[in-house]
Structure formats: C-alpha cells, structure tokens
Amino acid sequence: MQNFGTSVAFLIGDEIEWEVVGKGIKRKILGFDSSLMLVNVHFEKGGIGALHEHYHSQITYVESGAFEVTIGDEIKNLKAGDSFYVSPHVLHGVVCLATGILIDVFSPIREDFMIK
C-alpha cells in the first residue's frame, strides 16, 4: 500500500472543495491516516451509489436526507440520524430518496479516493 501520510490536525469544512464523483454525487475527504478515513458524501435526490464491494470496513452515518441502502441481500430505508455498517467484501450501495449527506468512515484508508 502506498503511504499517503496523515491529514493536518484541523480541517475546516468550508475550505475543502467538493469533488464530483458521479451524477448528483460529490465528496469531501475530512481527515485520514493510513488506518482510518472520514468522508462526507453529498447526494442529490435520485443519486445512486452503485452496488460495489471493497476490503475496507465501513460505518456510515446519515447526516441528512433519506436513502435506500442495500447491504448483501438486505434493503432498508434510512433517514437522518440512522447509520449502517458494512463488513469487508460485502456488496453494498445506496439510492438517494431525498437530498442529503452520508458521513463515511473507512478502515483502512480508501487509497482509491486519494489518487486523482
């Protein structure tokens, strides 16, 4: 794994630019080291986080909006204040039902998010 170092101690959200990652989807990396990463992901209504899997553990908090979340064979509708956990290598994805933000925590760092 490439060493991406560590983010600075304080990150000011308004100073971090959004990166467009798909139709109606953008993200901000809010902090990281080699073992942990925090990411805000903004979805417009109808935005789709396509089904995918990765070797990282993931915990996601629904900050705002509403999402249909698929993890493995289970589908749930989640709203602000809810969260979900995804084990490594489990197929998962979301469909945004109402514009909102997901806060993702990954362990280890998502290297693919760092390479532009």
Side-chain angles (χ1 to χ4, degrees):
M1 178 171 94
Q2 182 177 350
N3 181 358
F4 289 103
T6 303
S7 65
V8 296
F10 296 97
L11 292 99
I12 309 305
D14 290 342
E15 296 174 1
I16 302 169
E17 290 189 33
W18 289 100
E19 173 189 4
V20 175
V21 295
K23 184 177 180 185
I25 306 170
K26 56 188 179 181
R27 72 174 169 230
K28 287 185 184 187
I29 296 173
L30 297 177
F32 63 91
D33 67 14
S34 63
S35 63
L36 189 64
M37 176 179 261
L38 179 68
V39 180
N40 266 10
V41 187
H42 180 274
F43 285 81
E44 294 295 329
K45 182 177 180 178
I48 297 173
L51 289 172
H52 65 287
E53 63 88 21
H54 43 73
Y55 70 88
H56 312 82
S57 295
Q58 176 179 344
I59 297 174
T60 298
Y61 175 76
V62 181
E63 178 185 282
S64 58
F67 295 84
E68 178 185 273
V69 180
T70 301
I71 303 173
D73 295 330
E74 195 168 359
I75 299 173
K76 297 264 186 202
N77 287 344
L78 301 181
K79 62 179 178 7
D82 297 336
S83 60
F84 59 91
Y85 170 75
V86 182
S87 297
H89 300 292
V90 173
L91 194 64
H92 61 286
V94 301
V95 175
C96 183
L97 304 174
T99 297
I101 293 178
L102 298 178
I103 301 174
D104 291 332
V105 177
F106 298 101
S107 179
I109 186 174
R110 288 290 304 262
E111 306 92 339
D112 54 322
F113 287 10
M114 303 297 290
I115 301 169
K116 295 186 171 61

